Amino acid sequence: MINYKTIYFFAPHGDETKKIKQDLSKLFDRLDIRTVESDKEADIIASIGGDGAFLQAVRRSNFRDDCVYLGIAADSNRHFYVDFHYQDIQALEEAFQKDDMDVRRYPTIEVKVNDNSPSYCLNEFTLRSSIVKTLKMDIYISDFFFEHFNGDGILVSTPTGSTGYNKSVGGAVVDPLIESMQVTELGSVNNNTYRTLGTSFLLNRQRPLTLLIDKNTDYYPVMSLDNEAISVQNTEKVELRLSKKHIQTLKLKDNTFWHKTQRNFL
């Protein structure tokens, strides 16, 4: 394992996680890993909380690909991005001492709205109508016009995000080793006037997706990246592609994506 020297704790709940942060700082001191006060200085960025806290830690630190992220749950619940639990702090220390961890790389999606700078997501991007009316848009794969969509919206997920909102609306669960983004329709209308594929599909890095919004129906769709909303007015075009940026995470060797999928759903 790489010789990590510094760690930053992302603890979004303040006073609730103060003692947990203190105990973890002492643990990493014993491992000769120094706690720092800025995520920019850290070799390890550790989130304290569930998957939501992990996603926030990645976003607030600007999707760094030159460090590793570590999820530590404050509760006893099972999570997808979080391998370790504060209630079993000894297991965390032993994993570092015995080098019983892997560094795994998760793909991200690059999202560009209109001509704004690109943003990124680790889980999913959603675009939905902001009014009680269906949303119409033209969908392009690369430069090829694929379909005219009419419905509630579109969801684009990473493989790790495929078990979340994507799965709940009928999308497939995708192995993270398959670097792709999955496009899933939300409440599509299929009749004699409108026709869509009607099922999820996967795109690789060489096939970007472009959504052109019909301004006559809803010029102000609701959009989100992971667990945060995007505030953009007059949305005309959204471009999505599988990014070259990866997130590196510290995971237990015997706790793969499929172990977690089985544990959470079966």
Side-chain angles (χ1 to χ4, degrees):
M1 180 180 290
I2 299 172
N3 189 19
Y4 302 112
K5 294 295 186 183
T6 55
I7 187 168
Y8 170 79
F9 292 103
F10 177 79
H13 300 295
D15 291 340
E16 295 178 32
T17 52
K18 185 176 181 180
K19 183 179 185 306
I20 296 177
K21 182 179 176 181
Q22 291 173 343
D23 290 344
L24 290 171
S25 292
K26 292 176 183 177
L27 182 156
F28 282 98
D29 278 341
R30 295 195 295 271
L31 297 169
D32 294 323
I33 299 175
R34 178 172 54 90
T35 300
V36 294
E37 296 303 316
S38 169
D39 59 77
K40 295 179 177 62
E41 305 172 36
D43 301 320
I44 303 172
I45 296 177
S47 66
I48 300 175
D51 286 338
F54 184 91
L55 291 170
Q56 286 184 49
V58 173
R59 181 164 303 284
R60 301 292 170 83
S61 58
N62 200 29
F63 289 78
R64 281 183 55 189
D65 53 9
D66 59 346
C67 71
V68 294
Y69 290 89
L70 172 68
I72 303 170
D75 54 33
S76 59
N77 295 331
R78 302 290 189 178
H79 306 277
F80 262 92
Y81 289 110
V82 177
D83 269 37
F84 299 96
H85 291 77
Y86 172 66
Q87 285 85 350
D88 194 5
I89 198 170
Q90 184 177 352
L92 173 61
E93 186 169 11
E94 289 177 355
F96 271 84
Q97 289 172 336
K98 296 177 181 178
D99 194 13
D100 190 26
M101 290 182 291
D102 287 327
V103 176
R104 297 180 190 162
R105 300 170 75 243
Y106 290 150
T108 62
I109 295 173
E110 178 185 301
V111 182
K112 188 175 181 181
V113 180
N114 297 336
D115 294 319
N116 296 321
S117 299
S119 301
Y120 298 89
C121 56
L122 180 59
N123 236 28
E124 77 260 323
F125 166 82
T126 62
L127 185 150
R128 290 167 291 179
S129 176
S130 62
I131 56 178
V132 187
K133 190 176 181 180
T134 57
L135 179 68
K136 296 182 177 67
M137 69 184 91
D138 289 335
I139 296 179
Y140 287 80
I141 298 174
S142 298
D143 294 324
F144 167 67
F145 172 66
F146 182 63
E147 65 180 22
H148 184 67
F149 177 85
N150 180 25
D152 291 338
I154 291 288
L155 183 151
V156 183
S157 66
T158 63
T160 48
S162 68
T163 58
Y165 187 11
N166 171 74
K167 180 179 178 296
S168 71
V169 293
V173 175
V174 180
D175 193 311
L177 295 179
I178 301 172
E179 296 214 349
S180 61
M181 60 181 185
Q182 181 173 184
V183 183
T184 302
E185 300 173 359
L186 301 175
S188 60
V189 174
N190 280 280
N191 53 31
N192 290 333
T193 305
Y194 295 99
R195 182 64 52 191
T196 64
L197 186 63
T199 187
S200 296
F201 56 92
L202 301 180
L203 297 174
N204 69 7
R205 185 169 284 105
Q206 283 68 49
R207 296 195 186 278
L209 186 76
T210 301
L211 311 176
L212 297 182
I213 312 300
D214 185 340
K215 292 183 288 186
N216 294 318
T217 56
D218 191 354
Y219 205 19
Y220 308 92
V222 175
M223 295 176 286
S224 67
L225 294 166
D226 295 331
N227 53 2
E228 295 191 13
I230 309 176
S231 179
V232 178
Q233 292 185 341
N234 303 332
T235 304
E236 298 182 13
K237 178 173 67 173
V238 180
E239 299 170 277
L240 302 105
R241 66 177 67 241
L242 200 64
S243 171
K244 294 180 180 178
K245 187 187 289 284
H246 286 77
I247 296 305
Q248 300 183 99
T249 65
L250 284 175
K251 296 289 185 182
L252 290 168
K253 291 181 178 179
D254 61 349
N255 194 26
T256 69
F257 173 82
W258 291 106
H259 282 91
K260 296 175 185 179
T261 301
Q262 181 191 56
R263 188 169 58 239
N264 280 273
F265 299 114
L266 299 179

